[in-house]
Amino acid sequence: MSSALEYWPAPPPWGWTADDLDHLPAEGPNGEPDFFKHVELIDGALVFMSPQRRFHQLLIRRLSERLDSQAPDHLVAVDQMDVKLSRRTRPCPDVMVIDAEAAADYERTYYLPEEVHLVVEIVSPESVDRDRKTKPLRYAEAGIRHFWRVEEDAGRPVVYVYERDPAGGAYSLTGIHHERLAVSVPFPIDVDLAVLVK
């Protein structure tokens, strides 16, 4: 990794790779603390995520808890862990539902698409384009079957639920949920959305 950082702030000539993220130092190139703490790789570019708002943090925690409590034994909800979609794309979704066997490995820094059953992105003002366009496209291309996008409407969460069409390989919108989220896939889920941010 030191060879890649020699080119900072430009990317190395061969571009950033998903495996590079495991070798980033705690400090930035000029000694900045936690410089690389919140970074993901999208199409070979490092993306630095802005600090979370309280709305965002509450949704991550409470939605993770509800998904985890309703998931069957072979699945587990995790938050803010990477998924390695390709050599040049390794995003850090807000919430994922993954195989329990993969979650039991405490040394993991990322999961593979075949281990992921659901990805949830909570849209922030700075991430609108990535969460609405870029990331769903990459998740679908990697074969992840279920994707949810959560947006804020007057201080309340609205969940856009998508399922991957195996024929075309793209996501199709299956529902928009305002007060209550009740779906049967990837497993039966029932969440009172109004209480997630109270």
Side-chain angles (χ1 to χ4, degrees), residues 110-172:
Y110 63 83
Y111 300 105
L112 300 173
E114 55 268 26
E115 298 170 320
V116 179
H117 299 264
L118 167 67
V119 170
V120 182
E121 292 287 3
I122 300 166
V123 178
S124 296
E126 59 87 23
S127 71
V128 172
D129 284 341
R130 289 193 309 275
D131 291 343
R132 288 182 178 174
K133 299 174 184 175
T134 309
K135 286 186 176 182
L137 179 63
R138 297 294 175 257
Y139 294 142
E141 287 173 347
I144 297 173
R145 189 170 173 193
H146 300 281
F147 171 73
W148 297 354
R149 190 182 77 246
V150 184
E151 304 218 8
E152 181 181 357
D153 182 21
R156 293 180 172 236
V158 178
V159 181
Y160 296 79
V161 174
Y162 296 85
E163 187 167 350
R164 185 177 182 272
D165 178 356
Y171 287 126
S172 297

